[in-house]
Amino acid sequence: MLSKVLQKQTMMRKVLFSLIPIFLFGAYLYGLRLFFLVLVVFPLGIVCEAIFEKIKKKKITEAVLVTCSLYVLSMPPDVPLWVAGIGIVFGVVIGKEVFGGFGRNPFNPAVTGRLFVYITFPAFMTAGWIAGGNFGIDAVSAATPLSAAGGAGTPDLLSLAAGFRPGTIGESPVILILLAGIFLAATGTASWVIILSTLGSAALLTGIFDMAGVPGALATLPALMSGSIVFVAVFMATDPVSAPKNKPAQILYGMIIGSVAVLIRTFSPSFAEGTSFGVMIGNTFAMLLDEMTAKRKKKADT
């Protein structure tokens, strides 16, 4: 039945498989909040793609399930359902379908939707991070959990790595995300070059700012584990459609994402989390990076 509606995409199924532990961890932390978000986001995302694909007489891609999954996991747990709904519609329609659908979108649809509501409804996206009953606290009143960490001394690295902290639904379990990244890289689903260059550039620039005593800079390990950079590096930056295809371009692409994320996080008073902006800017230059590095390789070969 599903095969008649959905276009089978083995790579996307591997991504969905890798996200299962993160969803389960999110369900443990946030309970029904995650359940309600899924009930809103997935039907809206699938219906939006179905409408456009029906016009072209094509099937719905399984990629839309990945988009909806990553979008849900990138949301603050207390985000109003109507805000989440607007974001996924914008992400699928404007971030993907208006460009021709799967394989033609220059921007990651999940990031596109998240950035749209992040900029349009900042009060809902950057304040009042509900931690949930399993944290034993009600809420964190801060711009983001990352900015809260910046003013709270040195965080407990073990707790940060294990994921027992407030944040967007899917960003906190760093260990699970890294295990997913290893699985995706080992199966050829995600580029290990992009993952390492994104994390490496973010770590390097964070360390430089920390040693230089730049105001707002965090220590390297807390910065990497208390924000969404690991989640973005593994799942968002490695999107096979919107990322570059050759390795030299992927290195530069990851460096752009990691560096922009740290620059915005450190120097922007309004946007403590710059990872989505980093991915969007990286997407903008992905094709150009492929062109530049491909031409250089041809010259070297001749």
Side-chain angles (χ1 to χ4, degrees), residues 4-297:
K4 295 181 180 179
V5 180
L6 292 175
Q7 176 185 336
K8 183 179 178 180
Q9 295 174 303
T10 303
M11 183 178 290
M12 296 300 160
R13 292 190 179 187
K14 291 178 182 177
V15 177
L16 290 171
F17 177 77
S18 72
L19 288 170
I20 291 175
I22 300 173
F23 264 102
L24 292 176
F25 190 82
Y28 170 73
L29 293 185
Y30 304 110
L32 290 177
R33 294 182 186 277
L34 175 57
F35 177 73
F36 291 139
L37 274 174
V38 167
L39 284 183
V40 170
V41 169
F42 275 77
L44 284 175
I46 293 170
V47 167
C48 286
E49 177 156 320
I51 292 172
F52 281 85
E53 296 304 317
K54 186 175 183 181
I55 295 173
K56 296 180 289 184
K57 297 181 179 179
K58 293 184 178 181
K59 294 181 180 180
I60 304 168
T61 63
E62 291 183 348
V64 74
L65 303 180
V66 174
T67 296
C68 291
S69 298
L70 295 179
Y71 178 80
V72 166
L73 293 173
S74 71
M75 289 287 101
D78 198 38
V79 64
L81 297 179
W82 61 270
V83 172
I86 290 174
I88 193 61
V89 170
F90 187 91
V92 172
V93 175
I94 305 301
K96 179 179 179 181
E97 292 301 329
V98 297
F99 291 101
F102 179 78
R104 298 184 178 183
N105 51 291
F107 302 105
N108 183 300
V111 171
T112 303
R114 184 180 189 271
L115 266 184
F116 178 73
V117 293
Y118 189 56
I119 295 171
T120 309
F121 308 106
F124 296 119
M125 296 294 292
T126 61
W129 295 70
I130 303 300
N134 289 317
F135 278 110
I137 52 177
D138 295 324
V140 176
S141 180
T144 66
L146 184 60
S147 63
T154 303
D156 182 355
L157 295 181
L158 182 60
S159 296
L160 290 179
F164 293 99
R165 62 172 179 82
T168 64
I169 293 173
E171 78 176 35
S172 62
V174 175
I175 294 175
L176 294 179
I177 295 169
L178 290 176
L179 290 175
I182 293 171
F183 166 76
L184 295 175
T187 57
T189 307
S191 168
W192 62 268
V193 174
I194 294 177
I195 295 174
L196 292 182
S197 61
T198 300
L199 293 176
S201 59
L204 178 61
L205 191 55
T206 299
I208 292 172
F209 286 160
D210 182 36
M211 288 188 293
V214 175
L218 293 174
T220 302
L221 283 177
L224 291 179
M225 289 191 290
S226 61
S228 60
I229 187 65
V230 178
F231 180 81
V232 165
V234 171
F235 294 111
M236 305 290 207
T238 55
D239 173 29
V241 176
S242 57
K245 305 303 181 284
N246 65 68
K247 286 186 178 180
Q250 290 175 346
I251 293 173
L252 295 173
Y253 173 77
M255 291 173 65
I256 289 173
I257 294 174
S259 300
V260 170
V262 172
L263 286 170
I264 293 177
R265 181 187 68 205
T266 304
F267 296 107
S268 173
S270 302
F271 301 106
E273 268 289 8
T275 50
S276 294
F277 291 98
V279 174
M280 187 66 72
I281 293 174
N283 290 166
T284 302
F285 290 99
M287 188 177 296
L288 177 61
L289 292 174
D290 264 336
E291 289 288 330
M292 291 172 57
T293 53
K295 289 180 180 179
R296 181 171 295 182
K297 185 178 179 181

